[in-house]
């Protein structure tokens, strides 16, 4: 019996030591600029805005704020968000839009009706309407991505809204826009054909069959007004056992391929956690990038199937136009990096993405806005991660949890920016407590031997910035190397972006 106990003890010690060694083994990243996935569409650096609580009224638009400009927009927020180079903004919803009458939000503000918003059980004052959303987009340099009311709305609502936005002049709605002070069209480039219409929480929920009947006709009318508008079908958002979300997407694609340019994916990945959003286990949350990969790859397969069946030559891509990494702490910034890494890894199919909400990319206080951890991560990607996504090889330590097996501690993407002659390497270290030593093998090309390393990290993975303190920030350093091999150690719970100039 004593011998048995000793065997058990040493076996336990061996397991603990082995687990530690696994976490500390040297990882390998192989990068070849000739192994290309596709060009990254800058539209993956988009955002989403919906008038929920203080998202719009307070954080973006607040005529009573000391930070307000002459139009009521928060100048401090506008100035800071412009640094992120956001390419498009999806508005005005969201669940809100499924009960929204867009004509309530135009014309003199003192004549706009206050309405009960059933989506969020609040009063919508309609002080922020179509003209104001379009103005906001112009202020931050973003394209307009309009989502129509596919719930309680009608075909006339959809076509009239687009006419108001994009038709130059000479019609009732285009001249109404001009009368209200906007002589030039808003040039809406993207139109979402409804929001989450499969969801029982949605006003005007529809079956897949009824949705397609509406969306096909709405898309047809919109195209007759402006044939250059890109149309986004409402993909599934109801994820539950039985994979009914797959059935919805399959049906919508079968019916709409050839008539649309994108299908939306909405995924709040914390739904996959054991225990849901209340689960704050760091290793569990750090695995959620794999859930994003899974949703993209499943939808991509359905697109391929529908394209083959339809024989259409009009490509359909994924618009991942609602996702959230959390609300601004260090761990949230790492999950944001994993989302963006997933979009880059799937650059051949994900051509647009919109983070929920645009206001989550900054911190807010009575004294003004400030850079939170999400700001720093998004800034590094949106300003630097441009070019061609590369098909890289990685090998290194991994772990398992209740959701996934073989979760690599390092989540890695690489990009070749040909115009600026550099390789950009993005690495998330998912390990909460241990740094990971890594060999980076540049398999082709000649390099200058110098690289710029940007690191986002904090002592505590739950650290959160305030207007007075910034425990989460970007630290920049230079790295020298010889030949085509870089040796680098990625700190625990960190995001690192390395810019490697090419000769």
């Amino acid at each position: 019996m004593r011998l048995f106990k000793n065997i058990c003890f040493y076996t336990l010690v061996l397991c603990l030591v082995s687990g530690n060694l696994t976490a500390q083994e040297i990882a390998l990243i192989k990068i070849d600029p000739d192994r290309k996935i596709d060009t990254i569409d800058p539209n993956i650096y988009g955002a989403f805005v919906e008038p929920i609580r203080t998202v719009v009224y307070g954080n973006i638009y607040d005529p009573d704020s000391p930070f307000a400009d002459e139009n009521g927009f928060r100048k401090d927020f506008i100035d800071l968000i412009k640094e992120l180079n956001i390419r498009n903004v999806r508005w005005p919803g969201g669940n809100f839009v499924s009960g929204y009458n867009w004509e309530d939000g135009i014309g003199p503000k003192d004549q706009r009706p206050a309405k009960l918003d059933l989506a969020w059980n609040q009063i919508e004052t309609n002080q922020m309407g179509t003209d104001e959303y379009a103005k906001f987009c112009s202020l931050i340099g973003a394209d307009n991505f309009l989502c129509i009311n596919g719930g309680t709305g009608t075909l006339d609502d959809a076509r009239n809204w687009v006419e108001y936005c994009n038709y130059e002049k000479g019609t009732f709605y285009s001249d109404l826009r001009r009368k209200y002070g906007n002589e030039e069209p808003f040039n809406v480039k993207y139109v979402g054909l409804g929001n989450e219409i499969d969801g029982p929480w949605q006003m005007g929920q529809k079956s897949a069959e009824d949705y397609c009947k509406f969306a096909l006709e709405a898309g047809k009318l919109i195209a007759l007004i402006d044939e250059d508008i890109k149309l986004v079908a409402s993909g599934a958002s109801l994820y539950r056992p039985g994979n009914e979300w797959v059935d919805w997407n399959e049906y919508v694609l079968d019916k709409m391929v050839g008539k649309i340019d994108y299908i939306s994916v909405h995924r709040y990945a914390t739904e996959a956690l054991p225990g849901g959003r209340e689960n704050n286990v760091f290793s569990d949350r750090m695995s959620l990038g794999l859930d994003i990969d899974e949703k993209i790859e499943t939808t991509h397969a359905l697109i391929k199937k529908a394209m083959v069946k339809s024989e259409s030559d009009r490509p359909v891509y994924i618009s991942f136009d609602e996702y959230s990494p959390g609300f601004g702490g260090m761990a949230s910034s790492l999950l944001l990096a994993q989302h963006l890494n997933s979009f880059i890894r799937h650059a051949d199919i994900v051509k647009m993405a919109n983070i929920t909400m645009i206001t989550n990319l900054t911190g807010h206080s009575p004294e003004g806005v400030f850079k939170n951890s999400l700001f720093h991560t998004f800034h590094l990607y949106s300003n630097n991660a441009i070019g061609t996504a590369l098909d890289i090889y990685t090998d290194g330590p991994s772990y398992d949890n209740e959701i996934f097996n073989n979760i690599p501690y390092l989540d890695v993407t690489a990009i070749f920016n040909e115009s600026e002659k550099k390789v950009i390497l993005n690495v998330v270290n998912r390990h909460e407590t241990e740094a990971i030593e890594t060999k980076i093998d540049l398999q082709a090309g000649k390099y200058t031997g110098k690289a710029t390393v940007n690191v986002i990290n904090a002592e505590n993975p739950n650290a959160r910035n305030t207007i007075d303190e910034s425990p989460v920030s970007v630290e920049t350093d230079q790295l020298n190397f010889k030949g085509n091999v870089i040796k680098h150690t990625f700190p625990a719970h960190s995001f690192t972006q390395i810019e490697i100039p090419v000769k």
Side-chain angles (χ1 to χ4, degrees):
M1 187 66 176
R2 184 176 180 182
L3 177 61
F4 176 75
K5 288 182 178 179
N6 286 338
I7 292 173
C8 290
F9 173 76
Y10 287 117
T11 301
L12 176 61
V13 170
L14 180 61
C15 288
L16 291 172
V17 171
S18 298
N20 191 50
L21 288 175
T22 299
Q24 293 191 20
E25 69 185 65
I26 296 176
L28 174 64
I29 300 171
K30 293 182 180 181
I31 304 173
D32 183 348
D34 292 327
R35 292 181 60 87
K36 301 174 181 178
I37 298 172
D38 203 353
T39 301
I40 297 165
D41 194 320
N43 270 325
I44 66 171
Y45 304 121
F48 167 49
V49 62
E50 181 176 14
I52 304 175
R53 308 298 181 253
T54 60
V55 170
V56 168
Y57 300 111
N59 292 337
I60 296 175
Y61 179 84
D62 184 1
D64 296 327
S65 169
F67 300 103
D69 66 10
E70 66 277 9
N71 296 308
F73 291 107
R74 289 279 299 265
K75 290 184 293 185
D76 58 336
F77 179 74
I78 298 290
D79 290 343
L80 193 56
I81 214 73
K82 282 167 67 175
E83 295 182 28
L84 295 180
N85 200 12
I86 289 171
R87 304 322 200 273
N88 69 89
V89 175
R90 176 176 177 258
W91 54 267
N95 298 346
F96 167 81
V97 80
S98 290
Y100 180 56
N101 179 356
W102 70 272
E103 292 192 61
D104 290 339
I106 60 173
K109 292 190 176 183
D110 61 356
Q111 297 178 25
R112 298 182 188 181
K115 293 287 187 74
L116 180 61
D117 167 25
L118 298 178
W120 302 109
N121 190 28
Q122 61 187 6
I123 295 175
E124 169 58 46
T125 65
N126 283 302
Q127 297 300 290
M128 184 88 168
T130 299
D131 299 73
E132 288 77 27
Y133 281 111
K135 178 67 175 178
F136 171 66
C137 287
S138 70
L139 288 173
I140 67 171
D143 288 331
N144 288 286
F145 177 0
L146 169 68
C147 185
I148 66 169
N149 181 347
T152 63
T154 67
L155 295 175
D156 276 345
D157 291 335
R159 68 169 185 146
N160 293 341
W161 201 357
V162 173
E163 180 186 316
Y164 182 89
C165 290
N166 277 24
Y167 207 77
E168 185 178 4
K169 60 182 178 180
T171 69
F172 177 81
Y173 284 103
S174 62
D175 287 346
L176 197 59
R177 181 196 69 243
R178 293 165 64 87
K179 174 184 175 181
Y180 292 152
N182 290 287
E183 293 193 3
E184 296 301 318
F186 297 141
N187 190 28
V188 169
K189 290 190 174 182
Y190 310 95
V191 172
L193 300 172
N195 174 78
E196 299 182 0
I197 299 300
D198 64 316
W201 57 85
Q202 208 68 210
M203 289 177 281
Q205 179 192 16
K206 293 178 172 63
S207 66
E209 180 181 2
D210 288 342
Y211 169 70
C212 288
K213 289 177 181 178
F214 171 84
L216 284 167
E217 289 304 306
K220 180 170 69 177
L221 298 182
I222 290 167
L224 289 171
I225 297 168
D226 187 342
E227 63 181 6
D228 294 327
I229 283 178
K230 302 296 184 182
L231 299 174
V232 185
S234 180
S237 56
L238 180 58
Y239 299 97
R240 62 186 181 191
N243 290 322
E244 292 181 18
W245 72 273
V246 175
D247 299 335
W248 173 279
N249 282 353
E250 183 174 32
Y251 187 91
V252 168
L253 287 164
D254 282 348
K255 297 297 181 183
M256 299 191 71
V257 160
K259 305 295 183 183
I260 56 172
D261 304 286
Y262 303 85
I263 184 169
S264 71
V265 173
H266 291 187
R267 179 58 167 170
Y268 295 93
T270 52
E271 295 176 19
L273 290 171
R277 297 178 184 179
E278 302 305 313
N279 182 338
N280 289 313
V281 177
F282 184 84
S283 59
D284 284 352
R285 284 185 168 263
M286 288 301 100
S287 71
L288 293 179
L290 277 71
D291 180 80
I292 302 303
D293 288 338
E294 178 186 86
K295 298 302 180 288
I296 291 171
E297 289 161 12
T298 302
T299 305
H300 191 184
L302 294 172
I303 291 172
K304 286 182 177 180
K305 177 185 175 183
M307 293 292 292
V308 170
K309 289 176 66 176
S310 72
E311 299 183 347
S312 172
D313 59 0
R314 181 175 178 175
V316 175
Y317 299 109
I318 288 174
S319 173
F320 209 117
D321 47 49
E322 282 193 35
Y323 71 93
S324 175
F327 300 101
M330 181 64 219
S332 296
S333 72
L334 301 183
L335 193 50
L336 172 57
Q338 290 185 53
H339 279 79
L340 295 173
N341 272 353
S342 185
F343 304 154
I344 290 168
R345 251 194 307 277
H346 300 95
D348 55 334
I349 192 64
V350 179
K351 297 296 185 181
M352 188 149 56
N354 302 79
I355 186 171
T356 306
M357 299 281 174
I358 192 171
T359 50
N360 288 343
L361 291 169
T362 65
H364 302 268
S365 79
E367 292 77 31
V369 297
F370 56 90
K371 297 177 181 180
N372 62 13
S373 62
L374 295 182
F375 180 97
H376 292 306
T377 300
F378 198 95
H379 185 273
L380 286 178
Y381 275 93
S382 66
N383 287 280
N384 298 335
I386 303 297
T388 301
L390 301 179
D391 183 13
I392 60 172
Y393 171 84
T394 62
D395 185 35
S398 63
Y399 69 101
D400 300 336
N401 62 17
E402 290 184 44
I403 322 168
F404 300 105
N405 295 320
N406 299 317
I407 305 158
Y409 276 113
L410 296 185
D411 178 36
V412 186
T413 60
I415 299 150
F416 179 53
N417 187 324
E418 188 169 6
S419 64
E420 297 187 13
K421 299 298 180 185
K422 62 182 178 181
V423 170
I424 300 96
L425 180 65
N426 303 305
V427 181
V428 177
N429 182 355
R430 292 178 165 121
H431 204 296
E432 185 173 6
T433 59
E434 296 194 27
I436 297 180
E437 184 181 353
T438 306
K439 175 185 175 185
I440 303 166
D441 188 356
L442 304 168
Q443 294 191 298
K446 296 182 178 180
Y447 300 87
T448 65
K450 295 182 179 180
T452 300
V453 182
N454 296 300
V455 181
I456 297 176
N457 198 4
E459 184 176 344
N460 185 337
N462 295 314
R464 183 180 295 268
N465 289 356
T466 68
I467 198 165
D468 298 316
E469 298 182 351
S470 299
V472 183
S473 60
V474 181
E475 293 187 4
T476 302
D477 201 357
Q478 300 300 310
L479 183 154
N480 296 320
F481 63 97
K482 293 182 179 181
N484 284 39
V485 174
I486 299 174
K487 291 184 179 180
H488 187 74
T489 299
F490 295 100
H493 60 264
S494 68
F495 168 63
T496 303
Q497 185 178 83
I498 305 178
E499 299 178 46
I500 310 168
V502 180
K503 284 184 179 179

